[in-house]
């Protein structure tokens, strides 16, 4: 490591327990960069609930495990009819005017107090790391400190990626870190950037010290084989499709199988699928790891991905991954590592499950191959090396 | 699917060709389709999913219902009034506490009635959604069953 730096991590939320990839990553970065001797300050909002964006925490600065967290109130009166209309049109992929984009961006958890702080106190920090891109803290915070900023966009291939405000912010940051080669290609093409502006190693994953698959089964009363999903549970992430496919494999295909869901937000589980789906909501880190190790496989149903951490955590737990073929990141990693299978419809999903159930040795071998792949390409040690080098370059000759 | 920089890595676990396994999966599906193994499958849930994806509206409905549910339970109770420091910090807190107590006397009844109304409306919207969702599921299955019956009753039926 070079000289210790003063690093500011800017994120819309900073929660002790979260299933959102970019937020997990910011917490990990805070812990790991401070453990390596850097002075880390997390700059975030008082928001806890990403649906309401209401201020929950007290504003101010608190010390946590070796780093500081400063919270600023999120702006009130976020939602207006104009915002909702723009949000709806953008999510549908319709063309909107630049004015509508600005109005929409202001509604995504912006904090004028945080932006003002960056302008006034920003000089005390050597380098800022902003993540994710599509949120108010990055849209409005980045411009004031852009020359010393590293951007981790965590940008999925969704309609937002084609907005002008997104392209502008991508061009503002001198260096971007992508979560995969697929995301890197998207960033380069979306903003027409030179290839050396985007590096691929925005995150890392490390194995837990231990995994207790039997303990997980006992705690949650699961005796039959199960598929695991952890992360945001929304239609956009393909979770409703996963529920239908898994329940069809059990109901129509006669496979003794359950789908176990963990993570943020809720999704309506249809009546005909309820016997086959177990919803555990939030799990602690160890419980989640135990679940990954106990599962037949972890599912990645999302057609849009940026970091795709859950499949990598599954591989570290020694279990294979079952990915939707439309999700370019994980399907490509399955192909490359031999650590998982991918499916295009409910029938292929069912047969892939049968194939995993038929031969446990093969399923375990797939898990091991995935684990080797992650340990070599996606360890935190490697990611931190890339991030520290980038930060040192951005800090330049600052004292 | 290009993962350029990720391609070069060493693996110690036994060799496994994931592409060959996926080919095997697809071959099994092809054989089962030909043999009619899937003809009795109840796929109404998946069929309605495809239909909904084209509609795209339910995403917004679900999202906004969740937001309404969380926003309806407005907290109008006491909250901690803190000082921002300065010479008159304690006086400021004292004054704000007095103002809040006065305000609360006049606004409590209004706010509590409004919250009760909001919670009832939110609950009504949620149950209306659950009811209509259930009905759509039931009708989708019925449509799928009738289609299947038509298919079986003759080649010209579709």
């Amino acid at each position: 490591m070079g000289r210790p730096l003063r690093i500011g991590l800017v994120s819309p939320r900073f929660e002790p327990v979260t299933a959102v990839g970019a937020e997990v990553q910011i917490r990990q970065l805070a812990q790991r960069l401070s453990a390596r001797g850097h002075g880390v300050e997390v700059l975030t909002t008082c928001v806890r609930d990403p649906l309401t964006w209401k201020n929950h925490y007290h504003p101010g600065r608190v010390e946590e495990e070796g780093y500081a967290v400063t919270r600023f109130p999120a702006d009130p009166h976020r939602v207006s009819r104009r915002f909702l209309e723009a949000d709806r049109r953008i999510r549908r992929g319709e063309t909107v005017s630049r004015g509508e984009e600005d109005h929409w961006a202001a509604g995504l958890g912006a904090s004028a107090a945080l932006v003002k702080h960056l302008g006034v106190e920003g000089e005390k920090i050597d380098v800022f790391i902003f993540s994710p891109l599509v949120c108010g803290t990055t849209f409005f915070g980045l411009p004031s400190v852009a020359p010393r900023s590293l951007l981790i966009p965590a940008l999925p291939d969704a309609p937002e990626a084609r907005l002008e405000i997104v392209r502008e912010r991508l061009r503002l940051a001198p260096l971007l870190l992508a979560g995969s080669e697929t995301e890197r290609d998207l960033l380069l093409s979306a903003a027409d950037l030179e290839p050396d502006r985007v590096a691929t190693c925005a995150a890392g994953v490390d194995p837990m010290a231990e995994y207790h698959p039997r303990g997980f089964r006992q705690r949650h009363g699961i005796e039959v084989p199960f598929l695991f999903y952890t992360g945001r549970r929304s239609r956009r992430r393909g979770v409703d499709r996963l529920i239908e496919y898994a329940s069809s494999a059990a109901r129509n295909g006669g496979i003794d199988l359950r789908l176990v869901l963990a993570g943020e937000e809720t999704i309506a589980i249809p009546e005909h699928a309820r016997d086959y789906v177990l919803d555990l909501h939030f799990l602690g880190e160890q419980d989640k790891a135990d679940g990954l190790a106990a599962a037949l496989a972890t599912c990645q149903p999302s057609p849009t991905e940026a970091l795709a951490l859950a499949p990598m955590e599954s591989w570290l737990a020694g279990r294979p991954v079952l990915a939707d073929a439309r999700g370019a990141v994980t399907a490509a990693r399955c192909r490359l590592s031999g650590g998982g299978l991918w499916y295009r419809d409910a029938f292929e999903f069912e047969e892939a499950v049968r194939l995993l159930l038929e031969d446990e040795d093969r399923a375990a071998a797939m898990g091991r191959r995935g684990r080797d792949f992650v340990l070599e390409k996606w360890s935190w040690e490697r990611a931190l090396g890339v991030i520290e080098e980038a930060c040192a370059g951005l800090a330049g000759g600052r004292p | 699917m290009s993962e350029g920089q990720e391609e070069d890595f060493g693996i110690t676990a036994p060799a496994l060709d994931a592409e060959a396994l996926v080919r095997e999966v697809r071959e099994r599906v092809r054989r089962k389709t030909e043999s009619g193994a899937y003809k009795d499958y109840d796929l109404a849930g998946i069929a309605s999913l495809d239909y909904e994806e084209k509609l795209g509206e339910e995403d917004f409905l679900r999202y906004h219902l969740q937001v309404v549910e969380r926003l309806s339970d407005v907290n109008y109770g006491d909250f901690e009034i803190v000082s921002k420091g300065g010479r008159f910090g304690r006086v400021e807190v004292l004054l704000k506490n007095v103002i809040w107590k006065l305000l609360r006397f006049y606004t409590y009844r209004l706010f509590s009635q409004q919250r009760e109304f909001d919670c009832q409306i939110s609950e009504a919207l949620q149950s209306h959604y659950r009811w209509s969702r259930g009905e759509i599921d039931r009708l989708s299955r019925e449509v799928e069953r009738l289609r299947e019956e038509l298919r079986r009753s003759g080649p010209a039926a579709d």
Side-chain angles (χ1 to χ4, degrees), chain A residues 106-397:
Chain A
L108 297 176
S111 168
L114 193 157
V115 175
K116 186 178 169 194
H117 177 86
L118 290 174
V120 176
E121 303 284 325
E123 276 303 309
K124 294 178 184 168
I125 300 281
D126 293 320
V127 183
F128 289 94
I129 300 178
F130 285 85
S131 185
L133 169 56
V134 181
C135 65
T137 48
T138 301
F139 279 145
F140 300 103
L142 178 67
S144 57
V145 289
R148 289 180 287 124
S149 295
L150 189 64
L151 176 59
I152 303 179
L155 188 68
D157 190 4
E160 296 95 294
R162 283 162 275 284
L163 296 176
E164 188 53 38
I165 190 169
V166 167
R167 282 201 290 268
E168 277 176 15
R169 296 306 184 262
L170 289 173
R171 289 185 198 120
L172 264 183
L175 192 59
L176 293 93
L177 286 181
S180 65
E181 279 297 313
T182 313
E183 190 195 357
R184 183 171 182 269
D185 292 344
L186 172 70
L187 299 174
L188 290 173
S189 65
D192 198 19
L193 300 170
E194 305 85 51
D196 60 356
R197 289 269 301 279
V198 189
T200 308
C201 204
V205 274
D206 281 346
M208 299 291 282
E210 46 195 20
Y211 296 89
H212 305 287
R214 196 174 300 167
F216 182 86
R217 286 182 172 280
Q218 283 169 352
R219 276 195 299 281
H220 301 290
I222 308 166
E223 286 166 8
V224 300
F226 69 92
L227 297 169
F228 195 61
Y229 172 81
T230 175
R232 268 192 178 157
R233 292 177 294 168
S234 62
R235 286 190 64 199
R236 194 166 164 173
R237 305 280 171 139
V239 179
D240 55 345
R241 185 167 288 277
L242 173 65
I243 290 170
E244 290 294 346
Y245 285 6
S247 65
S248 171
R251 200 178 62 246
N252 294 318
I255 303 175
D256 197 8
L257 179 78
R258 297 286 179 280
L259 171 66
V260 175
L261 301 175
E264 205 161 7
E265 296 175 30
T266 53
I267 192 159
I269 298 167
E271 187 72 38
H272 60 270
R274 286 193 190 142
D275 289 345
Y276 312 104
V277 181
L278 181 61
D279 190 351
L280 298 181
H281 303 284
F282 264 123
L283 295 178
E285 278 304 300
Q286 185 61 54
D287 208 9
K288 184 180 85 176
D290 294 345
L292 292 165
L296 173 68
T298 289
C299 296
Q300 172 66 317
S302 180
T304 57
E305 308 169 279
L307 292 171
L309 291 177
M312 296 206 279
E313 289 172 336
S314 171
W315 281 325
L316 286 179
R319 297 307 301 171
V321 167
L322 203 49
D324 190 304
R326 294 172 299 170
V329 177
T330 303
R333 286 177 184 162
C334 286
R335 187 188 299 254
L336 216 60
S337 67
L341 304 172
W342 53 98
Y343 56 88
R344 296 175 299 188
D345 57 30
F347 302 136
E348 288 187 8
F349 180 91
E350 183 187 317
E351 286 310 318
V353 169
R354 284 188 200 284
L355 205 109
L356 293 174
L357 280 169
E358 276 167 14
D359 189 344
E360 170 50 31
D361 288 344
R362 183 171 54 198
M366 293 173 95
R368 284 201 300 278
R369 288 186 64 85
R371 187 179 162 92
D372 283 356
F373 169 72
V374 176
L375 289 177
E376 184 161 329
K377 304 301 286 183
W378 291 95
S379 70
W380 265 113
E381 190 59 34
R382 185 171 183 270
L384 287 171
V386 174
I387 291 166
E388 280 181 324
E389 194 184 322
C391 287
L394 288 170

Side-chain angles (χ1 to χ4, degrees), chain A residues 49 88 92 181-182 185 235 241 251-252 266 272 335 348 350-351 358 369 372 376-378, chain B residues 1-3 5-6 10 12-14 19 28 32 41-42 50 53 57 59 62 66 70 141:
Chain A
D49 185 344
R88 176 179 292 249
R92 274 183 182 155
E181 279 297 313
T182 313
D185 292 344
R235 286 190 64 199
R241 185 167 288 277
R251 200 178 62 246
N252 294 318
T266 53
H272 60 270
R335 187 188 299 254
E348 288 187 8
E350 183 187 317
E351 286 310 318
E358 276 167 14
R369 288 186 64 85
D372 283 356
E376 184 161 329
K377 304 301 286 183
W378 291 95
Chain B
M1 287 192 285
S2 75
E3 286 288 285
Q5 292 177 354
E6 295 186 345
T12 53
E19 292 203 50
R28 286 187 190 188
K32 281 192 170 179
Y41 272 34
D42 173 6
D50 292 338
E53 272 182 10
E57 269 312 306
D59 259 345
R62 278 184 191 167
Q66 273 190 324
R70 292 192 196 181
R141 298 162 86 85

Side-chain angles (χ1 to χ4, degrees), chain B residues 39-51:
Chain B
K39 69 177 169 42
D40 292 328
Y41 272 34
D42 173 6
L43 298 172
I46 295 166
S48 69
L49 207 65
D50 292 338
Y51 177 64

Side-chain angles (χ1 to χ4, degrees), chain B residues 35-94:
Chain B
S35 69
Y38 300 125
K39 69 177 169 42
D40 292 328
Y41 272 34
D42 173 6
L43 298 172
I46 295 166
S48 69
L49 207 65
D50 292 338
Y51 177 64
E52 284 163 20
E53 272 182 10
K54 282 172 200 147
L55 271 178
E57 269 312 306
E58 200 178 350
D59 259 345
F60 298 110
L61 178 61
R62 278 184 191 167
Y63 171 77
H64 291 299
L65 279 175
Q66 273 190 324
V67 177
V68 165
E69 188 184 12
R70 292 192 196 181
L71 284 176
S72 62
D73 196 13
V74 173
N75 179 6
Y76 54 88
D78 281 335
F79 58 95
E80 191 188 358
I81 294 174
V82 291
S83 164
K84 285 179 182 166
R87 266 198 298 174
F88 302 106
R90 291 182 66 176
V91 179
E92 184 193 336
V93 169
L94 201 70

